[in-house]
Amino acid sequence: MMKIKKQLSLYFKLVVLTHVSIFLPVSIAFAEEMHPIDRVNQTIKLSQNSSYIGLRLGGQYGTDNLPSGLTAVTGWAIVDGDREISDYALDEIYSIAVFLEGQELKVFLNQRIGGTDDENAEYQVIDVLNIAEPKFQDVSVAKSALKGLVCFQGEDLENLDSEIIALVNPENTSFIISDIKQAWRANRDTGKIESISSENIGCGNFGSFGF
């Protein structure tokens, strides 16, 4: 994963310097009753959902062993700079796991509690963010709308911050998205997913490298 982050950081820099725009096809499947114009400016409804806190999940990022009703969307480990997961003590390893429940997004902040490698990793959910609006019809739209792992704050495209979670318009085909609708930080110090300003935040827009 660190190799991917390094390659992407370099790629971001090259794209900005050469003013190249890369467009990727995105499948959009918002609820049928939505007018296309309303998709960009609709209200984002949020609520903290504690019903999953304490849940134990498996898999590399805590996206396995799911209870009924959850569909895995993406996930990633929270790491600092060029550090590897192996550089952290077990209880210092955190991940973000994203799920669909019906047409709503659930974002889990997980802490590693067991397992000696990715194959048998065990996580416990310590906080949950529920994104109730806009509605998401399928996983592909959810992946396009929620960004993480390769987001950054400020002008330094090489300073990727994997604590940042960002909600964007899934129809945006820019390689780097700066029009962020809502942003949060998965704060490992507080164990909470906290709302932050979306100003000066950008995210790579090329799909998920989570799993």
Side-chain angles (χ1 to χ4, degrees):
M1 187 175 69
M2 290 302 98
K3 290 182 179 179
I4 291 174
K5 290 182 70 177
K6 291 177 184 177
Q7 292 170 354
L8 293 176
S9 296
L10 179 59
Y11 198 21
F12 285 170
K13 193 172 183 179
L14 289 173
V15 168
V16 172
L17 290 175
T18 57
H19 302 283
V20 175
S21 295
I22 298 176
F23 298 93
L24 299 178
V26 176
S27 172
I28 305 300
F30 273 87
E32 293 181 357
E33 65 271 13
M34 288 185 182
H35 190 282
I37 296 176
D38 296 330
R39 294 174 184 165
V40 176
N41 298 316
Q42 62 185 301
T43 301
I44 300 167
K45 297 180 182 177
L46 306 170
S47 64
Q48 291 298 129
N49 188 332
S50 61
S51 62
Y52 291 109
I53 292 177
L55 182 68
R56 295 191 176 192
L57 299 170
Q60 186 175 6
Y61 306 118
T63 53
D64 295 345
N65 305 335
L66 305 179
S68 176
L70 291 181
T71 301
V73 175
T74 189
W76 64 90
I78 303 176
V79 293
D80 301 302
D82 294 335
R83 293 184 69 184
E84 303 280 354
I85 291 181
S86 58
D87 296 333
Y88 295 86
L90 185 67
D91 62 356
E92 294 178 329
I93 299 174
Y94 294 82
S95 75
I96 294 295
V98 183
F99 305 94
L100 269 181
E101 184 177 55
Q103 294 181 356
E104 299 182 2
L105 277 181
K106 307 286 185 183
V107 183
F108 290 3
L109 172 58
N110 303 322
Q111 185 173 18
R112 184 86 165 259
I113 59 173
T116 57
D117 53 43
D118 291 340
E119 295 295 325
N120 63 1
E122 185 177 5
Y123 288 88
Q124 187 167 39
V125 181
I126 61 174
D127 199 24
V128 178
L129 175 70
N130 181 51
I131 303 177
E133 295 285 353
K135 300 298 184 184
F136 302 93
Q137 292 280 31
D138 56 41
V139 169
S140 64
V141 175
K143 278 188 176 182
S144 299
L146 199 75
K147 303 299 179 184
L149 179 63
V150 287
C151 294
F152 55 91
Q153 196 163 21
E155 301 296 328
D156 187 358
L157 304 184
E158 295 185 353
N159 188 24
L160 300 180
D161 188 340
S162 56
E163 282 193 339
I164 294 176
I165 306 162
L167 187 66
V168 305
N169 176 10
E171 292 182 307
N172 191 327
T173 56
S174 301
F175 179 64
I176 298 176
I177 297 178
S178 57
D179 182 16
I180 306 299
K181 303 304 178 187
Q182 184 88 14
W184 302 266
R185 177 172 297 281
N187 191 326
R188 289 166 289 177
D189 292 332
T190 64
K192 299 293 184 181
I193 301 175
E194 302 167 349
S195 180
I196 60 174
S197 172
S198 60
E199 292 185 9
N200 299 318
I201 289 179
C203 295
N205 186 29
F206 40 77
S208 171
F209 286 87
F211 66 94

